[in-house]
Every structure is written in C-alpha cells, then in structure tokens.
Amino acid sequence: MSKEYYKKRIIDLRADIAREKEAKKRDNERYASLVRGASSPSSKASYRKQKIDAAARHDRNIESYKRQIESCKDSLKRCR
C-alpha cells in the first residue's frame, strides 16, 4: 500500500473516533432521559443496564479505532 493510503486511512479513523464519541454522548443522553421517565423500577433498571452496555460498546469501538490507527502508523513507517 502507498503512503497516501495510510495517511488517508489515519484521517478517516480519527473522524470515526469523533463520530463514535458523539454517538456515545447522544446514546448516554437518550438513556438518561429514558431512566428519568421510566415508571417502574424494573424498567429503570433495564434502561440503566442498556445505558452501561451501550457505553461499553462505544468504548470498545473507540479502542478498536485507536488500535487501527497505531497499525496504520506502523505500516506507514515501514513504507518509508
């Protein structure tokens, strides 16, 4: 692969990280409002669990993007 490919890929991955952080923020707000509006304790607990699961999923995706960036940086060094 060319140097330009890796440079573009790194830029795209950084944009993906920013999008994922925004999605995490949106999900967090949405689940918080669902928890506040829940009528029964069981549905409140369910929404809290979903909120935790969604945040963990976003965190895993962000970490994956970071690993991909590091991999691209290593590949870029090998190209030179």
Side-chain angles (χ1 to χ4, degrees):
M1 301 276 174
S2 67
K3 290 184 215 178
E4 291 78 25
Y5 168 80
Y6 290 117
K7 288 179 182 179
K8 183 182 179 318
R9 182 80 175 123
I10 289 170
I11 292 169
D12 291 343
L13 288 168
R14 286 182 179 150
D16 289 342
I17 288 174
R19 272 194 298 277
E20 194 69 33
K21 285 181 179 180
E22 286 299 316
K24 180 180 177 180
K25 192 183 302 184
R26 271 194 316 276
D27 281 353
N28 198 21
E29 292 170 358
R30 184 169 56 91
Y31 282 116
S33 70
L34 287 171
V35 168
R36 282 192 301 272
S39 56
S40 69
S42 63
S43 63
K44 243 181 206 195
S46 173
Y47 288 137
R48 283 191 180 116
K49 184 182 180 317
Q50 289 176 21
K51 181 180 176 182
I52 291 168
D53 292 344
R57 184 177 61 249
H58 289 298
D59 289 339
R60 281 193 307 274
N61 289 342
I62 289 169
E63 289 304 314
S64 171
Y65 290 138
K66 287 180 180 178
R67 282 192 302 274
Q68 289 178 36
I69 286 174
E70 290 304 315
S71 174
C72 283
K73 284 181 179 178
D74 291 342
S75 298
L76 188 60
K77 286 179 185 174
R78 283 195 302 271
C79 282
R80 294 181 179 174

